[in-house]
Amino acid sequence: TVLQPIADDATTADQAKMAYAEALVKTGDIETGVTLLTALEQRNANSAGVHRALGEALALDNNAERARQELETAIRMDPEDAQAYDALGRLELAEGDATAAVASLEHAVKLAAQRSKLHHDLAIAYRQASRPEDAAREMQQYEALSTAKLP
């Protein structure tokens, strides 16, 4: 018989709370989601995922400065987190810094080239950075990956 380690109840509960908070944010209850994620961050200061989720929620809550801090912390903690680079790039686009957004989103694509959404976000950044050929190439990649997922 293979013995499976028993999950720590606190960790399991925190994972459930994080999933719930992210669902709240996605459905529009950003304020409650930010409140839950902030509490989780205080308990899990070493969790890159919590910092990323909080950064994404704060960006939606128009708190760009704090969002940037959380996303940069997530990236320092987990430099392989393509989703954190994507969120940072989208924040940079919203702030009007297309050059920084291109760098962040190119890195995200490098980490997870199979994710169609990253190519879409990079195409938008290229367009805003006045790089139409690169934008067209990334949009084609986005469409190819999106079409491949259809049944």
Side-chain angles (χ1 to χ4, degrees):
T1 317
V2 177
L3 296 176
Q4 296 293 325
I6 297 172
D8 178 280
D9 287 341
T11 301
T12 302
D14 284 348
Q15 289 170 340
K17 288 176 188 173
M18 185 166 149
Y20 178 63
E22 289 178 308
L24 287 170
V25 169
K26 287 180 183 173
T27 59
D29 190 355
I30 297 168
E31 185 178 336
T32 304
V34 166
T35 300
L36 286 172
L37 288 166
T38 300
L40 282 171
E41 181 210 19
Q42 291 169 356
R43 286 181 42 153
N44 300 284
N46 294 324
S47 170
V50 171
H51 286 284
R52 181 205 26 83
L54 180 56
E56 289 178 306
L58 289 165
L60 292 172
D61 201 31
N62 296 315
N63 189 339
E65 184 178 331
R66 189 162 164 227
R68 175 181 297 283
Q69 291 170 350
E70 294 297 334
L71 293 169
E72 289 175 349
T73 297
I75 288 168
R76 271 193 309 279
M77 294 174 81
D78 183 3
E80 302 297 312
D81 185 350
Q83 191 174 343
Y85 282 100
D86 181 45
L88 180 60
R90 286 183 282 113
L91 177 64
E92 291 162 339
L93 274 178
E95 293 177 325
D97 191 349
T99 302
V102 164
S104 294
L105 293 164
E106 283 177 338
H107 196 78
V109 166
K110 214 178 283 184
L111 291 170
Q114 76 287 357
R115 293 187 189 163
S116 61
K117 180 187 179 311
L118 300 179
H119 292 280
H120 179 267
D121 293 347
L122 181 54
I124 293 169
Y126 279 144
R127 191 171 350 135
Q128 288 188 16
S130 299
R131 294 173 58 179
E133 296 85 10
D134 292 327
R137 182 191 68 243
E138 289 302 319
M139 193 54 75
Q140 287 175 344
Q141 186 65 27
Y142 164 73
E143 290 169 357
L145 288 168
S146 295
T147 303
K149 292 179 183 176
L150 296 176

